[in-house]
Amino acid sequence: MQTQDHASPQHPSPRPAEHRITGVLLAGGQGSRMGGVDKGLVELAGRPMAAHALERLAPQVDELLINANQNLDTWAAFGYPVFGDDVGGFAGPLAGLHATLVRARHPLVATAPCDSPFLPADLVARLAAALHAAGADLAVAKTFDQAHPVFCLCRRELAGHLGDFLAAGGRKIDRWYGSLKVVEVAFDDQEAAFRNINTRAELADAAKALPAQRPE
């Protein structure tokens, strides 16, 4: 695996400072449905699954981070800053989001999971447009009647609010979202882009789909 330094963008962001975005790849789970392996590091078409997701997410944000709770040296080889949850016990994606909010350099934070190698190339732009238009705290992707809560864009200033929720024992994404002003963003035109890979069978199916799904 080649190592490159991607901690900061190569070119100045065209976005004004107040609209700049930190992206995070959420890779802090235990991968229990994949046999207890670090799911994002499982190979898909000869590359770690996370490499495909990072390739799609990186051009969309001004800073990119990785949230992982194991194999930190391996994750660091991707060339982005890596950090674990501040809440112990593999507390779920909200713990990864909180850890990102307290470390992000930019006012907005976009999230994507490590097991979704086909994520939309315009994910962040569409979430940001909806967030700003609605004056919302958080924008979340949705396809038809299915919300995708780990594909979101939220404001860094929510760090304290989320920290309090986690400290009180909260773990459910839907419950935390219910306390915020949330806008849902329709991606009905890209339903397949949100497929996630949890099993070896799904991994095999994804390998067949990958050539047609590669970013332009």
Side-chain angles (χ1 to χ4, degrees):
M1 184 185 302
Q2 294 183 344
T3 301
Q4 295 179 310
D5 183 6
H6 296 294
S8 60
Q10 294 181 342
H11 305 288
S13 173
R15 288 185 276 255
E18 66 272 18
H19 286 183
R20 289 179 189 166
I21 298 168
T22 293
V24 61
L25 191 76
L26 297 173
Q30 293 177 291
S32 57
R33 285 184 286 177
M34 189 72 80
V37 299
D38 203 342
K39 190 162 46 171
L41 301 179
V42 173
E43 286 202 353
L44 170 63
R47 302 165 63 207
M49 183 160 33
H52 300 280
L54 288 166
E55 183 178 70
R56 287 178 171 270
L57 185 59
Q60 303 186 50
V61 297
D62 303 299
E63 173 190 30
L64 186 53
L65 309 175
I66 297 174
N67 167 241
N69 289 309
Q70 53 189 335
N71 302 311
L72 300 188
D73 289 343
T74 304
W75 282 106
F78 285 101
Y80 300 99
V82 180
F83 54 90
D85 297 345
D86 296 325
V87 177
F90 293 91
L94 284 183
L97 174 58
H98 175 260
T100 306
L101 292 174
V102 299
R103 292 167 173 81
R105 290 167 45 201
H106 300 301
L108 300 172
V109 170
T111 68
C114 67
D115 60 356
S116 293
F118 307 123
L119 66 91
D122 60 352
L123 173 71
V124 176
R126 289 167 68 170
L127 291 177
L131 181 88
H132 296 308
D137 298 316
L138 184 148
V140 61
K142 184 176 183 178
T143 54
F144 299 98
D145 61 350
Q146 177 66 54
H148 302 283
V150 289
F151 292 90
C152 81
L153 179 72
C154 70
R155 300 186 186 276
R156 183 178 57 183
E157 63 201 45
L158 294 174
H161 184 276
L162 179 53
D164 291 343
F165 178 81
L166 292 167
R171 297 292 182 268
K172 299 292 187 181
I173 292 181
D174 291 346
R175 185 180 167 203
W176 185 61
Y177 281 13
S179 67
L180 305 172
K181 181 177 181 180
V182 174
V183 59
E184 294 182 332
V185 185
F187 283 85
D188 298 351
D189 58 315
Q190 297 191 60
E191 185 177 22
F194 293 91
R195 65 188 293 184
N196 65 318
I197 299 171
N198 291 307
T199 67
R200 294 288 176 177
E202 291 173 351
L203 187 69
D205 288 341
K208 298 173 186 176
L210 191 62
Q213 296 277 352
R214 291 294 298 272
E216 297 180 359

Short mmCIF file of all heavy atoms in Angstrom, two decimals, residues 171-202:
data_model
loop_
_atom_site.label_atom_id
_atom_site.label_comp_id
_atom_site.label_asym_id
_atom_site.label_seq_id
_atom_site.Cartn_x
_atom_site.Cartn_y
_atom_site.Cartn_z
N ARG A 171 -26.92 6.03 22.01
CA ARG A 171 -26.15 5.40 20.93
C ARG A 171 -26.91 5.39 19.61
O ARG A 171 -26.30 5.24 18.55
CB ARG A 171 -25.77 3.96 21.31
CG ARG A 171 -24.87 3.82 22.53
CD ARG A 171 -23.50 4.37 22.27
NE ARG A 171 -22.60 4.20 23.42
CZ ARG A 171 -22.42 5.08 24.38
NH1 ARG A 171 -23.09 6.24 24.37
NH2 ARG A 171 -21.58 4.85 25.37
N LYS A 172 -28.23 5.52 19.64
CA LYS A 172 -29.05 5.39 18.45
C LYS A 172 -29.00 6.66 17.60
O LYS A 172 -29.31 7.76 18.08
CB LYS A 172 -30.50 5.09 18.83
CG LYS A 172 -30.70 3.80 19.61
CD LYS A 172 -30.42 2.58 18.75
CE LYS A 172 -30.77 1.29 19.50
NZ LYS A 172 -30.47 0.10 18.67
N ILE A 173 -28.64 6.49 16.34
CA ILE A 173 -28.56 7.65 15.45
C ILE A 173 -29.91 8.33 15.31
O ILE A 173 -30.00 9.56 15.37
CB ILE A 173 -28.02 7.22 14.06
CG1 ILE A 173 -26.57 6.79 14.17
CG2 ILE A 173 -28.15 8.36 13.06
CD1 ILE A 173 -25.95 6.37 12.85
N ASP A 174 -30.96 7.55 15.11
CA ASP A 174 -32.29 8.14 14.89
C ASP A 174 -32.72 9.00 16.08
O ASP A 174 -33.35 10.04 15.90
CB ASP A 174 -33.32 7.04 14.64
CG ASP A 174 -33.12 6.34 13.31
OD1 ASP A 174 -32.35 6.87 12.47
OD2 ASP A 174 -33.73 5.28 13.10
N ARG A 175 -32.39 8.56 17.26
CA ARG A 175 -32.79 9.31 18.45
C ARG A 175 -32.05 10.65 18.51
O ARG A 175 -32.64 11.69 18.83
CB ARG A 175 -32.50 8.49 19.72
CG ARG A 175 -32.99 9.17 20.99
CD ARG A 175 -32.69 8.34 22.21
NE ARG A 175 -32.87 9.12 23.42
CZ ARG A 175 -32.29 8.84 24.58
NH1 ARG A 175 -31.51 7.79 24.70
NH2 ARG A 175 -32.51 9.59 25.64
N TRP A 176 -30.76 10.63 18.21
CA TRP A 176 -30.03 11.90 18.23
C TRP A 176 -30.51 12.82 17.11
O TRP A 176 -30.72 14.01 17.34
CB TRP A 176 -28.52 11.65 18.11
CG TRP A 176 -27.72 12.92 18.24
CD1 TRP A 176 -27.69 13.74 19.33
CD2 TRP A 176 -26.89 13.52 17.25
NE1 TRP A 176 -26.87 14.83 19.08
CE2 TRP A 176 -26.36 14.71 17.81
CE3 TRP A 176 -26.52 13.17 15.96
CZ2 TRP A 176 -25.49 15.55 17.11
CZ3 TRP A 176 -25.65 14.00 15.26
CH2 TRP A 176 -25.15 15.18 15.83
N TYR A 177 -30.68 12.28 15.92
CA TYR A 177 -31.18 13.09 14.81
C TYR A 177 -32.52 13.74 15.16
O TYR A 177 -32.81 14.85 14.73
CB TYR A 177 -31.35 12.23 13.56
CG TYR A 177 -30.08 11.94 12.79
CD1 TYR A 177 -28.82 12.21 13.34
CD2 TYR A 177 -30.12 11.39 11.52
CE1 TYR A 177 -27.66 11.93 12.64
CE2 TYR A 177 -28.96 11.11 10.81
CZ TYR A 177 -27.74 11.38 11.38
OH TYR A 177 -26.59 11.11 10.67
N GLY A 178 -33.33 13.03 15.94
CA GLY A 178 -34.65 13.54 16.30
C GLY A 178 -34.60 14.79 17.15
O GLY A 178 -35.61 15.50 17.28
N SER A 179 -33.43 15.09 17.72
CA SER A 179 -33.29 16.29 18.55
C SER A 179 -32.75 17.48 17.75
O SER A 179 -32.55 18.55 18.32
CB SER A 179 -32.34 15.99 19.72
OG SER A 179 -31.01 15.77 19.27
N LEU A 180 -32.56 17.28 16.44
CA LEU A 180 -31.94 18.30 15.60
C LEU A 180 -32.89 18.75 14.49
O LEU A 180 -33.88 18.09 14.20
CB LEU A 180 -30.67 17.75 14.95
CG LEU A 180 -29.60 17.16 15.87
CD1 LEU A 180 -28.52 16.49 15.05
CD2 LEU A 180 -29.00 18.23 16.78
N LYS A 181 -32.53 19.86 13.86
CA LYS A 181 -33.20 20.26 12.63
C LYS A 181 -32.50 19.56 11.47
O LYS A 181 -31.37 19.91 11.12
CB LYS A 181 -33.17 21.78 12.44
CG LYS A 181 -33.90 22.24 11.17
CD LYS A 181 -33.93 23.75 11.02
CE LYS A 181 -34.69 24.14 9.75
NZ LYS A 181 -34.72 25.62 9.57
N VAL A 182 -33.16 18.57 10.91
CA VAL A 182 -32.56 17.71 9.89
C VAL A 182 -33.29 17.89 8.57
O VAL A 182 -34.52 17.97 8.52
CB VAL A 182 -32.64 16.23 10.33
CG1 VAL A 182 -32.15 15.30 9.22
CG2 VAL A 182 -31.80 16.01 11.60
N VAL A 183 -32.53 17.92 7.48
CA VAL A 183 -33.10 17.92 6.14
C VAL A 183 -32.67 16.64 5.44
O VAL A 183 -31.51 16.26 5.48
CB VAL A 183 -32.67 19.17 5.33
CG1 VAL A 183 -31.17 19.26 5.18
CG2 VAL A 183 -33.34 19.17 3.96
N GLU A 184 -33.64 15.94 4.85
CA GLU A 184 -33.35 14.73 4.09
C GLU A 184 -33.14 15.10 2.62
O GLU A 184 -33.89 15.92 2.07
CB GLU A 184 -34.48 13.72 4.23
CG GLU A 184 -34.63 13.18 5.64
CD GLU A 184 -35.73 12.13 5.76
OE1 GLU A 184 -36.70 12.19 4.95
OE2 GLU A 184 -35.63 11.25 6.62
N VAL A 185 -32.13 14.50 2.02
CA VAL A 185 -31.75 14.83 0.65
C VAL A 185 -31.94 13.59 -0.22
O VAL A 185 -31.32 12.55 0.03
CB VAL A 185 -30.29 15.30 0.59
CG1 VAL A 185 -29.94 15.76 -0.82
CG2 VAL A 185 -30.05 16.43 1.60
N ALA A 186 -32.79 13.71 -1.22
CA ALA A 186 -33.14 12.57 -2.07
C ALA A 186 -32.02 12.25 -3.05
O ALA A 186 -31.54 13.12 -3.78
CB ALA A 186 -34.43 12.84 -2.82
N PHE A 187 -31.62 10.99 -3.06
CA PHE A 187 -30.67 10.45 -4.03
C PHE A 187 -31.30 9.27 -4.77
O PHE A 187 -30.64 8.27 -5.02
CB PHE A 187 -29.38 10.00 -3.33
CG PHE A 187 -28.46 11.11 -2.93
CD1 PHE A 187 -28.64 11.78 -1.72
CD2 PHE A 187 -27.40 11.49 -3.74
CE1 PHE A 187 -27.78 12.79 -1.32
CE2 PHE A 187 -26.54 12.52 -3.36
CZ PHE A 187 -26.73 13.17 -2.15
N ASP A 188 -32.58 9.41 -5.11
CA ASP A 188 -33.28 8.31 -5.77
C ASP A 188 -32.61 7.93 -7.08
O ASP A 188 -32.70 6.78 -7.53
CB ASP A 188 -34.73 8.69 -6.04
CG ASP A 188 -35.52 8.95 -4.76
OD1 ASP A 188 -34.99 8.68 -3.66
OD2 ASP A 188 -36.66 9.45 -4.86
N ASP A 189 -31.92 8.89 -7.69
CA ASP A 189 -31.25 8.63 -8.97
C ASP A 189 -29.96 7.84 -8.81
O ASP A 189 -29.38 7.39 -9.81
CB ASP A 189 -30.92 9.97 -9.66
CG ASP A 189 -30.06 10.88 -8.78
OD1 ASP A 189 -30.35 11.01 -7.58
OD2 ASP A 189 -29.10 11.47 -9.32
N GLN A 190 -29.51 7.63 -7.56
CA GLN A 190 -28.26 6.91 -7.33
C GLN A 190 -28.42 5.86 -6.23
O GLN A 190 -27.53 5.68 -5.39
CB GLN A 190 -27.14 7.89 -6.95
CG GLN A 190 -26.80 8.90 -8.03
CD GLN A 190 -25.53 9.65 -7.72
OE1 GLN A 190 -24.46 9.07 -7.57
NE2 GLN A 190 -25.63 10.96 -7.60
N GLU A 191 -29.51 5.16 -6.24
CA GLU A 191 -29.78 4.20 -5.17
C GLU A 191 -28.65 3.19 -5.00
O GLU A 191 -28.25 2.86 -3.88
CB GLU A 191 -31.10 3.47 -5.44
CG GLU A 191 -31.52 2.53 -4.32
CD GLU A 191 -32.86 1.88 -4.59
OE1 GLU A 191 -33.27 1.81 -5.77
OE2 GLU A 191 -33.50 1.43 -3.61
N ALA A 192 -28.11 2.69 -6.11
CA ALA A 192 -27.06 1.66 -6.03
C ALA A 192 -25.78 2.18 -5.40
O ALA A 192 -24.97 1.39 -4.89
CB ALA A 192 -26.77 1.11 -7.42
N ALA A 193 -25.59 3.49 -5.41
CA ALA A 193 -24.36 4.06 -4.85
C ALA A 193 -24.26 3.90 -3.35
O ALA A 193 -23.18 4.02 -2.77
CB ALA A 193 -24.25 5.54 -5.22
N PHE A 194 -25.39 3.61 -2.70
CA PHE A 194 -25.42 3.50 -1.25
C PHE A 194 -25.35 2.06 -0.76
O PHE A 194 -25.50 1.82 0.44
CB PHE A 194 -26.66 4.21 -0.69
CG PHE A 194 -26.62 5.69 -0.88
CD1 PHE A 194 -27.16 6.27 -2.02
CD2 PHE A 194 -26.01 6.51 0.04
CE1 PHE A 194 -27.11 7.64 -2.23
CE2 PHE A 194 -25.94 7.89 -0.16
CZ PHE A 194 -26.49 8.45 -1.29
N ARG A 195 -25.11 1.13 -1.68
CA ARG A 195 -25.00 -0.26 -1.24
C ARG A 195 -23.79 -0.40 -0.33
O ARG A 195 -22.73 0.15 -0.58
CB ARG A 195 -24.89 -1.20 -2.44
CG ARG A 195 -23.63 -1.03 -3.25
CD ARG A 195 -23.63 -1.84 -4.53
NE ARG A 195 -23.59 -3.27 -4.29
CZ ARG A 195 -23.51 -4.18 -5.26
NH1 ARG A 195 -23.49 -3.79 -6.54
NH2 ARG A 195 -23.46 -5.46 -4.98
N ASN A 196 -23.99 -1.10 0.77
CA ASN A 196 -22.87 -1.36 1.67
C ASN A 196 -22.60 -2.86 1.70
O ASN A 196 -23.46 -3.66 1.37
CB ASN A 196 -23.11 -0.80 3.07
CG ASN A 196 -24.25 -1.47 3.78
OD1 ASN A 196 -25.29 -1.73 3.19
ND2 ASN A 196 -24.07 -1.75 5.05
N ILE A 197 -21.41 -3.21 2.10
CA ILE A 197 -20.94 -4.59 2.00
C ILE A 197 -20.70 -5.14 3.40
O ILE A 197 -19.80 -4.67 4.12
CB ILE A 197 -19.66 -4.65 1.15
CG1 ILE A 197 -19.96 -4.15 -0.27
CG2 ILE A 197 -19.11 -6.07 1.11
CD1 ILE A 197 -18.75 -3.97 -1.13
N ASN A 198 -21.51 -6.11 3.78
CA ASN A 198 -21.42 -6.68 5.13
C ASN A 198 -20.99 -8.13 5.15
O ASN A 198 -20.57 -8.63 6.19
CB ASN A 198 -22.78 -6.58 5.83
CG ASN A 198 -23.14 -5.14 6.17
OD1 ASN A 198 -22.37 -4.43 6.79
ND2 ASN A 198 -24.31 -4.70 5.73
N THR A 199 -21.10 -8.83 4.03
CA THR A 199 -20.80 -10.25 3.99
C THR A 199 -19.87 -10.56 2.82
O THR A 199 -19.70 -9.75 1.90
CB THR A 199 -22.09 -11.08 3.83
OG1 THR A 199 -22.65 -10.83 2.52
CG2 THR A 199 -23.12 -10.72 4.90
N ARG A 200 -19.31 -11.76 2.84
CA ARG A 200 -18.44 -12.18 1.74
C ARG A 200 -19.22 -12.30 0.43
O ARG A 200 -18.69 -12.01 -0.65
CB ARG A 200 -17.79 -13.53 2.09
CG ARG A 200 -16.82 -13.45 3.26
CD ARG A 200 -15.54 -12.74 2.91
NE ARG A 200 -14.66 -12.59 4.07
CZ ARG A 200 -13.45 -12.05 4.03
NH1 ARG A 200 -12.98 -11.60 2.88
NH2 ARG A 200 -12.71 -11.94 5.12
N ALA A 201 -20.48 -12.70 0.53
CA ALA A 201 -21.30 -12.81 -0.68
C ALA A 201 -21.53 -11.44 -1.29
O ALA A 201 -21.45 -11.27 -2.52
CB ALA A 201 -22.64 -13.48 -0.35
N GLU A 202 -21.81 -10.44 -0.45
CA GLU A 202 -21.98 -9.07 -0.95
C GLU A 202 -20.69 -8.53 -1.53
O GLU A 202 -20.70 -7.78 -2.51
CB GLU A 202 -22.50 -8.18 0.18
CG GLU A 202 -23.92 -8.49 0.60
CD GLU A 202 -24.37 -7.73 1.83
OE1 GLU A 202 -23.53 -7.06 2.47
OE2 GLU A 202 -25.56 -7.81 2.16
#
